[in-house]
Amino acid sequence: MDKMQTTSIGGGKISFVDEGDGPPILFVHGFPLSHAMWQEQINFFKHCYRVICPDLPGFGRSESMDPSSGATLTMEALADWLVDFLGAIECESPVHFCGLSMGGYIGWQFCKRHPTRVRSIIACNTRAGDDMGNIRRGREIAARQVMVTGSKPIADAMVQKLFFQHRPGLTETSFYNQIHEVISSTDPASIAAGQRGMAKRENVSAWLSKLGSPVFFVAGQHDQITPADEMQQNASLVENAEYALIPNAGHVTPVENAPEFNSAVESFLGRFD
Ligand code: MLT
């Protein structure tokens, strides 16, 4: 079990894990998950790195920035919030920013807005483009729906998409049940705010070639949400980018195939020693 700590940012209580010593790695979870998705990375990297995993505001055990039902949680606001968070826990050195999906969308904004705070970016199962019109509209519908139905139907639907469905015994795995539980217990208003924030996110594809930080794209072989081909295409836009395809994984590679994910990230980080 990880050791959760708490701090306060703008009056809101924030839960996070901060373990180990060494160059900091900031792990930023996907939507609508929590720091708990990084448990295997905490166990593995804390021996050589400072491993920092916050619950983003409104997710996991952290309080929301704006609990109203019509709130929008933009990627820009979350990137700025992460800088405040790093200040609150006295992490001054530039971080290796490892973000999954929505965590990656936030990572691009973190790099754009706070380039001196970044040592490298590990972009896991994430896009650089924005949403097509129909997807954007779908997010608004989903944001309204979750306020009526609560979060459990979202959890039921998302576990059908997040994981590699042909994994033997998938529904009996502890991670499947844990992620279902995390989503079911997320405040519907946070889910709605996240959907609206992602719908508004910027298309950073053209900017990728100007990215000043080393970048490692990590894709899941069976990802239905962010297809591996799209990630490989994004990697080709960035000079000296690295790319890895993790087998036997869908959209949540750090969870579904932690040994291969950890070893790929360890080897990427080895170039900074
Ligand atoms: C995530 O895993 O963070 C979400 O699938 C991102 C999204 O909805 O675009």
Side-chain angles (χ1 to χ4, degrees), residues 1-259:
M1 207 37 203
D2 50 54
K3 296 182 206 127
M4 292 301 284
Q5 303 182 46
T6 55
T7 186
S8 170
I9 298 173
K13 196 177 109 200
I14 298 305
S15 291
F16 63 99
V17 170
D18 183 0
E19 285 196 54
D21 281 319
I25 314 177
L26 177 63
F27 287 101
V28 182
H29 62 78
F31 169 87
L33 308 180
S34 77
H35 82 284
M37 62 153 289
W38 300 112
Q39 190 56 58
E40 296 291 338
Q41 287 65 49
I42 297 169
N43 296 343
F44 186 85
F45 287 102
K46 70 180 178 187
H47 302 293
C48 297
Y49 293 89
R50 179 175 177 187
V51 175
I52 302 167
C53 306
D55 280 343
L56 291 169
F59 297 93
R61 286 179 240 161
S62 289
E63 285 176 3
S64 171
M65 287 196 229
D66 175 359
S68 64
S69 62
T72 299
L73 197 52
T74 66
M75 304 303 105
E76 289 85 348
L78 288 166
D80 295 349
W81 179 91
L82 282 170
V83 171
D84 292 343
F85 165 69
L86 291 172
I89 62 165
E90 296 179 2
C91 176
E92 307 304 338
S93 326
V95 297
H96 296 291
F97 189 115
C98 181
L100 179 104
S101 200
M102 181 180 78
Y105 307 156
I106 301 165
W108 303 134
Q109 291 303 327
F110 190 90
C111 286
K112 277 190 90 171
R113 297 161 78 86
H114 308 285
T116 59
R117 305 303 303 263
V118 185
R119 194 142 185 234
S120 75
I121 177 151
I122 302 159
C124 316
N125 307 76
T126 196
R127 301 199 133 87
D130 53 358
D131 288 339
M132 309 282 276
N134 58 332
I135 295 183
R136 197 172 295 138
R137 285 189 291 280
R139 288 198 194 268
E140 181 54 36
I141 293 167
R144 288 176 195 206
Q145 234 164 23
V146 70
M147 296 309 295
V148 177
T149 63
S151 304
K152 177 154 181 309
I154 306 289
D156 294 343
M158 281 203 79
V159 290
Q160 306 294 322
K161 292 200 203 136
L162 287 173
F163 305 114
F164 171 40
Q165 295 297 315
H166 297 296
R167 180 192 188 102
L170 172 67
T171 55
E172 270 79 57
T173 59
S174 55
F175 67 71
Y176 181 95
N177 291 297
Q178 184 199 41
I179 284 187
H180 187 279
E181 170 60 26
V182 166
I183 301 173
S184 303
S185 39
T186 302
D187 181 355
S190 298
I191 294 185
Q195 287 285 23
R196 292 197 176 99
M198 288 189 288
K200 281 187 139 183
R201 75 183 191 280
E202 184 187 0
N203 183 342
V204 296
S205 311
W207 164 84
L208 278 186
S209 62
K210 299 185 214 116
L211 182 68
S213 311
V215 56
F216 182 30
F217 289 86
V218 186
Q221 187 184 13
H222 306 287
D223 190 341
Q224 306 173 50
I225 298 176
T226 312
D229 291 355
E230 184 179 329
M231 291 206 61
Q232 192 166 22
Q233 170 66 24
N234 284 336
S236 73
L237 301 174
V238 189
E239 204 178 335
N240 297 325
E242 293 187 28
Y243 170 80
L245 180 67
I246 306 295
N248 297 319
H251 187 61
V252 206
T253 53
V255 167
E256 296 178 80
N257 192 345

